[in-house]
Amino acid sequence: MNEQATEDYATEKPKRTSERWFDATWTKVHPLSPVVRGGLAVVAIPGLLLSYNWQSWMDAWEAFRSGEIQRNVESNPMPFLLGAGGVLLVVALIFAGFALSWWFTRYKITAEHVMVKSGIFVRQHRQARIDRVQAVDLRQPLLARLTGLAELKFEVAEGDGTAATLAFLKRSQAEELRSEIMDRAAGRSESPAEVEGFGEVPGGPGSAYAGFTHPGDAEAAHRYDPCAAHDPYAPIHPTPTGRAAAGLHRAAHQDRLIAKVPTGRLIGSVLSGWGTIFVLVIVVMAVVAVGIGLAVGSDGGSVSIWAVLTGAALPAVIPMGIAAITIYYQQFSSGFGFTSTATSSGLRVRYGLLETTNQTIPPGRVQALQIQQPVLWRPFRWFKIVVTVAGYGIGEKRSVLLPVGRLDDVMVTAAEMFPDLQVENPEEVFTAGLTGSGTKLGYTEVPRRARFFDPIVRRRRGFRTTPTALMFRDGRASRQLTMVPHERIQSLSLTQGPLQRRRAIADIFIHSPAGPFAAKLKNQDLDAVKDLFEYESDHAAQARRYSDRNQWMRLEELREFERKAAEALAAPEEPSTTGPAHPAAPLTYQEQDPRDR
């Protein structure tokens, strides 16, 4: 028995060791990828050498103009040949390294994963679960735009870093692949009505899930069955025909423009931003330095004082000016040509000057949304929208949903993320959160007994709940309105300092994935935040159970969920003092009877 086991192990061991790193199912990226990668390095290295050895390059240019270099080459060409050969060898090694990196970088799209293998000496295998994909970004650096290539980045919920990157593909191929991945992440690759034993389409007439459709789910009937009788790791080569092709055709024609940022408005927003304040600080410092120099101009020792001021100011002003120019360029580049389009997979945004980026953000993946109005934008009535998406992290550039827009642009963009606040006057509630103050329309404020904590912002700092979201508003000079869906609230915390305890007030903090902002509200009435804490603790759990899960679950899970949902909705309502009886239309904190709070 032992001998037989030893023989079996001996025959299986060579098979394990002879497994190939790649097989025929793996696909290489575009052959021009080494040029796009290596070309940037070839341009960057001389630029660094030129910047650090400017005087040497100037001396070499003068020697070339005077003919000294030509005479030296004629008299002794060997050093110049060796130098040119060394430069060519460095360039060849750079491109050889990128070429090997291209050869050893391959990807495969399976039924459940996006997989990328790379590495020459140290091999790396990265994969992202399709059902966990939060967003897919299509990025085009300058050289990639010139060659018609694009880079795909897949963001998942497991971490803040990019899960997988495909660099580079043809732009058309990258766009098709992005659409396919987003549709599969949303479960829209096949029609569930065509799957045997499935029954009615979720959300259709008679379904227990009717009324819980996802925003932007224009093709909810096209879903993907990962439990089909094929190999889950087999490569996907979809060829839509018949009804599927017609569905894709309809989805393609349902894209609609949401917002577009004019160049003039973008320039105005950049000039009225923090970069201008930074420049004004530099100008004031320069004017003060000049004033001091002129004030002591009549003194005999004024020349030395003026020289000292000039020598001390220039080294500080030059880097500050470079920093101001960098701030201007980054703000202008990140908003140049910005357009947002509603698609069946989510909100697609495009922006960039030299490097263009296309992002697709599904509304169901947005954890929180904040609308900001800096103080210098208030005369123009401009606003900015940023979102928290699991996987993006704290980087604000990719988290911008609208760099600058008017109130109508803000409302239509926010409606894509929060299509229905489920209140009688949603526009008034939304506008009051942006620009209003006081306790109108159900908002709270800092109690009068705590006005010395917030003497300026007291009337604006408050919250309001709706059946679908929790809304925080804050800021007097620079305004903010934060909106968090109930189902995205991971946890809440209340904090109280010693002085707050004397005034019966507390701070409330909403925990969510890392993003460009934090949902926190200070100095609220203690009883109000306690009731809010209890209300959200109960309602957030209900919202997670009943909110749009059909786009992100497997078919057998959906059938089980619909069965349980039908039983829950058909059951007789029981009186409860901890929360709303029906999860689709709960009472807000402000709408509850004080005796029931």
Side-chain angles (χ1 to χ4, degrees):
M1 191 69 175
N2 294 337
E3 293 179 357
Q4 183 66 29
T6 305
E7 292 177 359
D8 293 342
Y9 177 78
T11 57
E12 291 179 3
K13 186 175 181 181
K15 294 181 181 179
R16 294 178 180 177
T17 57
S18 61
E19 288 183 356
R20 297 178 58 187
W21 181 242
F22 300 119
D23 55 29
T25 63
W26 291 84
T27 305
K28 292 191 292 289
V29 294
H30 198 275
L32 289 179
S33 299
V35 178
V36 177
R37 293 173 176 266
L40 181 61
V42 170
V43 173
I45 291 176
L48 292 175
L49 295 176
L50 183 65
S51 60
Y52 282 101
N53 299 277
W54 177 256
Q55 188 59 42
S56 300
W57 287 99
M58 291 298 296
D59 294 341
W61 174 250
E62 291 297 331
F64 177 79
R65 292 182 57 187
S66 62
E68 182 180 356
I69 293 181
Q70 292 84 335
R71 292 190 295 270
N72 292 335
V73 170
E74 293 175 358
S75 61
N76 187 12
M78 186 57 64
F80 296 93
L81 292 177
L82 292 177
V87 172
L88 293 177
L89 179 62
V90 171
V91 173
L93 289 176
I94 292 174
F95 276 100
F98 284 109
L100 289 175
S101 176
W102 164 77
W103 178 261
F104 286 99
T105 300
R106 307 190 187 190
Y107 70 94
K108 180 166 65 172
I109 312 298
T110 70
E112 296 181 351
H113 295 86
V114 178
M115 298 189 291
V116 181
K117 288 185 177 181
S118 60
I120 302 174
F121 301 106
V122 179
R123 292 178 174 177
Q124 186 181 48
H125 183 184
R126 306 194 70 177
Q127 65 181 22
R129 286 175 49 187
I130 291 180
D131 60 345
R132 300 292 289 172
V133 169
Q134 301 292 311
V136 182
D137 298 346
L138 190 148
R139 175 175 165 268
Q140 276 191 296
L142 180 59
L143 292 178
R145 292 179 62 184
L146 297 177
T147 53
L149 304 181
E151 176 187 36
L152 279 181
K153 289 187 175 182
F154 302 91
E155 306 292 345
V156 296
E158 279 77 3
D160 293 338
T162 301
T165 301
L166 297 181
F168 289 86
L169 306 173
K170 285 185 178 180
R171 179 183 172 86
S172 58
Q173 181 185 2
E175 290 178 345
E176 293 176 359
L177 188 58
R178 177 183 60 179
S179 300
E180 176 187 345
I181 297 300
M182 296 303 298
D183 286 342
R184 292 186 179 276
R188 290 193 301 267
S189 293
E190 292 181 0
S191 174
E194 299 175 358
V195 180
E196 183 179 358
F198 182 82
E200 291 184 337
V201 177
S207 171
Y209 210 79
F212 291 92
T213 55
H214 188 279
D217 189 7
E219 292 297 321
H222 296 278
R223 303 186 186 280
Y224 158 66
D225 183 7
C227 300
H230 56 71
D231 182 7
Y233 283 92
I236 297 172
H237 301 287
T239 306
T241 58
R243 188 180 302 179
L248 293 176
H249 179 76
R250 289 194 303 269
H253 284 75
Q254 287 178 350
D255 296 355
R256 64 186 188 280
L257 181 65
I258 298 298
K260 186 175 182 180
V261 177
T263 305
R265 184 190 302 171
L266 177 64
I267 294 175
S269 67
V270 172
L271 294 179
S272 58
W274 290 106
T276 299
I277 297 177
F278 195 69
V279 170
L280 291 177
V281 171
I282 298 176
V283 172
V284 169
M285 293 176 59
V287 170
V288 171
V290 172
I292 294 175
L294 295 177
V296 297
S298 59
D299 191 359
S302 61
V303 176
S304 60
I305 295 176
W306 178 256
V308 170
L309 288 174
T310 304
L314 286 179
V317 170
I318 291 177
M320 293 175 68
I322 295 175
I325 294 175
T326 303
I327 293 174
Y328 279 134
Y329 174 77
Q330 290 179 348
Q331 293 179 351
F332 181 77
S333 176
S334 61
F336 181 79
F338 186 95
T339 57
S340 60
T341 306
T343 69
S344 60
S345 299
L347 191 67
R348 182 174 300 169
V349 298
R350 182 186 185 277
Y351 57 88
L353 180 59
L354 300 179
E355 174 185 318
T356 60
T357 302
N358 287 265
Q359 298 174 228
T360 302
I361 305 175
R365 298 309 201 191
V366 173
Q367 308 294 317
L369 177 146
Q370 186 177 80
I371 304 169
Q372 304 171 352
Q373 188 182 41
V375 60
L376 296 181
W377 288 11
R378 292 184 60 176
F380 309 101
R381 297 188 178 183
W382 292 338
F383 300 89
K384 177 181 181 180
I385 302 180
V386 293
V387 292
T388 295
V389 177
Y392 274 179
I394 60 176
E396 188 177 346
K397 180 180 179 181
R398 294 190 299 166
S399 300
V400 176
L401 208 61
L402 181 66
V404 56
R406 298 188 183 276
L407 183 59
D408 53 349
D409 299 325
V410 171
M411 295 185 69
V412 70
T413 302
E416 292 297 319
M417 303 295 108
F418 297 87
D420 188 6
L421 294 178
Q422 296 187 8
V423 293
E424 295 182 356
N425 47 355
E427 294 185 0
E428 296 179 10
V429 171
F430 187 81
T431 305
L434 286 178
T435 60
S437 61
T439 57
K440 296 180 180 179
L441 297 175
Y443 284 94
T444 65
E445 63 180 16
V446 176
R448 292 183 60 85
R449 61 180 179 273
R451 58 183 178 271
F452 66 92
F453 285 98
D454 294 309
I456 299 177
V457 76
R458 183 184 75 84
R459 298 295 307 278
R460 259 197 61 82
R461 179 166 290 170
F463 66 87
R464 189 195 195 282
T465 59
T466 75
T468 58
L470 174 62
M471 306 172 68
F472 285 179
R473 69 178 185 186
D474 203 350
R476 174 65 70 177
S478 297
R479 298 166 173 168
Q480 301 94 31
L481 173 63
T482 305
M483 305 173 66
V484 185
H486 294 300
E487 66 270 16
R488 300 302 176 188
I489 296 177
Q490 298 183 354
S491 62
L492 300 89
S493 63
L494 302 180
T495 59
Q496 239 188 347
L499 296 179
Q500 290 179 318
R501 287 197 294 269
R502 295 177 60 88
R503 295 294 179 177
I505 58 176
D507 302 341
I508 185 167
F509 185 80
I510 305 298
H511 298 137
S512 61
F517 59 88
K520 184 177 181 180
L521 209 57
K522 296 182 178 180
N523 303 325
Q524 296 297 295
D525 181 77
L526 182 60
D527 293 334
V529 294
K530 281 184 177 180
D531 291 340
L532 177 65
F533 186 88
E534 296 295 334
Y535 176 78
E536 289 296 341
S537 299
D538 177 68
H539 185 57
Q542 296 185 33
R544 281 191 293 271
R545 289 195 299 267
Y546 287 92
S547 66
D548 188 39
R549 291 193 58 197
N550 63 317
Q551 273 200 327
W552 312 104
M553 62 170 59
R554 298 184 178 184
L555 293 179
E556 72 277 6
E557 294 177 343
L558 177 57
R559 288 193 289 266
E560 181 66 16
F561 173 74
E562 282 207 330
R563 183 184 65 81
K564 292 182 178 180
E567 294 176 355
L569 295 176
E573 297 183 355
E574 298 180 359
S576 174
T577 59
T578 58
H582 196 293
L587 294 176
T588 64
Y589 168 79
Q590 292 80 7
E591 295 169 345
Q592 295 178 13
D593 192 300
R595 295 169 295 180
D596 297 332
R597 293 177 180 173

